[in-house]
Amino acid sequence: MTIAAPLPDPQSPGFADRLAGELIEAGHLDTVGADRARLAARQTGERFDLVLMRLGLVPEADIGAVLARLTGLDFLRSLDHLDGSGLPEGVDRDFLLRNRILPLASGPDGVRVAIVDPLDPLPLQALRYALGRTVDAVLTTPAAFEAAWARLDATPDGPATGASPVRASEQDLQRLRDIASEAPVIRLVNQMIASAVDMRASDVHVEPTPSGVVVRFRVDGALRVAQTVPMEMHAAILSRIKIMGGLDIAERRLPQDGRIKLAIRGNDIDFRLSTIPTVGGESAVIRILDRSRIDLDFARLGFAPDHVAQLGALMRMPDGVVFVTGPTGSGKTTTLYTVLKELNAPDVKIFSVEDPVEYQLAGINQVQVNAQIGLDFPTCLRSILRQDPDIIMVGEIRDAETATMAFQASLTGHMVFSTLHTNDAASTITRLTELGVERFLIGSTLKAVMAQRLVRRVCPHCAAPHPDAPHWEARLVGEFPALREAAPATLMRGRGCRECQDTGFQGRLTIAELMPFDERLRRALYSGVPDHDLRRMAREGGTRSMVEDGMAKAWAGLTTVEDVLRATQQR
């Protein structure tokens, strides 16, 4: 049978539109009934095809026939010929009933089964794992499935699965139960991910604890507990997440990384999945990469006007190296993507080397590092330099070879942007020398270093004057005299409301320290001055510290003094 174009996610509007169109074309459904079912599906959260059957708008046999054609499966309207001889030993009967799987024939080469739901691959994957054999499927109707099992239960010996089952080990049986495609597990994981997206979370953390599986969302940089589920669900949840991410469900001893792409509320969203074994069991983190919510604009990201102007001047340079530094989760990659977006033009060739590629940018050649096959950062850079690029973005400098190649690339007429993990701009020099990059190479090519952090924006819906505003105004003016020349202080704090989930914050903005390397700093760098002297000289030359930039934004009511202190680890 010819397989049609792949079906969209069964939970997405695209699936409802595709199935409705096929049923209307076949004469099984009209547009009024389709609209009625779409509305019910949105209100209940159930799948469109199941809603059609529940409402009685389309007979289950007609829906089954269309789904069989769309998925490339054979369709059996009746299973009257079944005599029970196809039921294999070694499979739990409750598992087959729960997942509506009916074996039709069993042999040394494989098993042929009838299934009711062709849109959920988990039960068949579990069956293949348990049996260690090929499993081929045909589609049938729920009524035919139930009638066939009723006949088998009525036979004197009952279904063959009740006979002495042969199991490879208790671990295999537990694995089968863990990854069973039960509707509650599927709904739980789907709702967990959808809730995280709705709350604008950047990560979902699934962590086993003695009291249960704790699910936490990172929203605006802060973790909060979303729910706790019984520990008995841990294996099933992890198995479901692993299969969604294309990971090996049998491997629980080593860390794994995967990728998921789902349609949530009509938007295609990428997810990065990471699992790691802990003492209490496997822990998983799902990073949410929602392209619809990323705003590649310096002003909207929170950069001050003078920083935007300085970055613009740096981007117009024909060659050199510019670093963006900060810890994990400080927005470095988003800043570099914004740089590339600003530089992207038909007459400019841009390459990026990333691990992983977080967002795909049209017009930019993005290379995904794959160390397992030898495609590491140095290998990619060597190949890219033969592609005649104008601008190169290196996702992260991790080793001496990558660092040296990045600086050498700038010497041959390329503009290079990259990231490092350092606390501030001045300590970047020490980090680079520790990696083995010579100071003369740094001094001759380094144009600027920008250190940054993310702080939380005060929720605009519940913002109110800060109760300790007089105290903070006096302290800030004393520590940062430049604020005396700024507009009057409007120190604010969010009271907490429904829009911000009672946190007082909604969204984040960047606070930064941009240190251009002028001739004076280059001479100091050549002479080997320590970080603190470089930092002092940069301040004397007009570089605003990250704390000062953050306090200026707190002064303007965009964030709070407390959050700037938290992000910069000041007290």
Side-chain angles (χ1 to χ4, degrees), residues 37 75 80 94 170 239 286 293 297 302 360 372 374 391 419 450 468 502 515 533 554:
F75 182 60
D80 292 340
D94 290 338
E170 274 303 312
S239 295
I286 303 171
R293 288 182 175 163
D297 180 273
Q360 296 181 16
Q372 293 181 344
I391 297 164
T419 70
M450 185 172 71
D468 298 327
D502 294 317
M515 182 189 292
D533 284 338

Side-chain angles (χ1 to χ4, degrees), residues 24 29-38 57:
I24 291 171
L29 182 66
D30 57 27
T31 55
V32 174
D35 292 339
R36 179 184 168 195
R38 283 194 190 94
L57 295 173

Side-chain angles (χ1 to χ4, degrees), residues 130-424:
L131 297 175
R133 284 185 283 171
T134 300
V135 177
D136 294 320
V138 299
L139 189 61
T140 191
T141 65
F145 172 86
E146 292 168 5
W149 268 105
R151 286 196 307 275
L152 288 175
D153 285 339
T155 60
D157 296 329
T161 51
S164 57
V166 179
R167 298 180 175 88
S169 67
E170 274 303 312
Q171 185 179 6
D172 287 347
L173 178 60
Q174 186 61 44
R175 176 66 62 191
L176 178 62
R177 290 172 177 163
D178 290 345
I179 64 175
S181 174
E182 297 180 356
V185 175
I186 296 174
R187 281 198 300 269
L188 175 62
V189 174
N190 289 346
Q191 290 170 358
M192 177 178 72
I193 294 174
S195 297
V197 172
D198 290 342
M199 291 178 65
R200 300 173 291 103
S202 59
D203 305 274
V204 179
H205 297 250
V206 182
E207 303 160 328
T209 69
S211 59
V213 182
V214 176
V215 179
R216 299 194 289 172
F217 298 161
R218 188 179 294 279
V219 181
D220 296 333
L223 279 170
R224 62 180 69 169
V225 176
Q227 63 185 123
T228 301
V229 298
M231 192 60 190
E232 291 78 13
M233 298 285 289
H234 175 253
I237 292 171
L238 262 292
S239 295
R240 173 66 181 169
I241 293 173
K242 281 184 176 182
I243 290 174
M244 292 171 70
L247 305 185
D248 182 1
I249 60 174
E251 180 56 76
R252 293 178 291 181
R253 303 165 299 169
L254 297 173
Q256 296 187 73
D257 296 302
R259 180 175 179 173
I260 305 170
K261 187 169 185 176
L262 296 174
I264 305 292
R265 310 288 186 256
N267 292 323
D268 287 333
I269 299 176
D270 288 323
F271 302 85
R272 302 291 182 195
L273 171 61
S274 174
T275 65
I276 190 169
T278 67
V279 173
E282 279 189 292
S283 174
V285 175
I286 303 171
R287 186 175 185 190
I288 302 170
L289 304 173
D290 188 352
R291 282 172 289 188
S292 67
R293 288 182 175 163
I294 185 172
D295 203 347
L296 301 181
D297 180 273
F298 286 122
R300 284 197 277 270
L301 289 174
F303 285 95
D306 61 329
H307 284 162
V308 176
Q310 287 178 290
L311 285 169
L314 290 167
M315 289 188 292
R316 288 191 294 271
M317 290 183 174
D319 55 57
V321 179
V322 174
F323 281 106
V324 179
T325 74
T328 301
S330 59
K332 302 186 298 296
T333 302
T334 301
T335 298
L336 287 184
Y337 278 155
T338 307
V339 168
L340 296 186
K341 177 176 175 267
E342 294 289 328
L343 291 169
N344 194 13
D347 59 344
V348 178
K349 184 158 187 176
I350 304 175
F351 269 95
S352 74
V353 187
E354 305 170 61
D355 183 21
V357 173
E358 294 191 6
Y359 300 100
Q360 296 181 16
L361 303 177
I364 294 174
N365 303 280
Q366 296 174 270
V367 181
Q368 169 83 46
V369 169
N370 188 347
Q372 293 181 344
I373 61 173
L375 190 66
D376 53 14
F377 279 103
T379 302
C380 290
L381 276 174
R382 276 191 291 269
S383 299
I384 285 172
L385 290 174
R386 294 193 287 270
Q387 293 281 315
D388 189 28
D390 297 301
I391 297 164
I392 302 171
M393 189 267 270
V394 182
E396 183 182 344
I397 299 290
R398 299 177 181 175
D399 54 68
E401 187 178 6
T402 305
T404 302
M405 288 191 66
F407 281 97
Q408 289 175 344
S410 71
L411 289 174
T412 58
H414 303 91
M415 195 67 197
V416 180
F417 296 89
S418 189
T419 70
L420 270 177
H421 288 283
T422 62
N423 289 328
D424 63 1

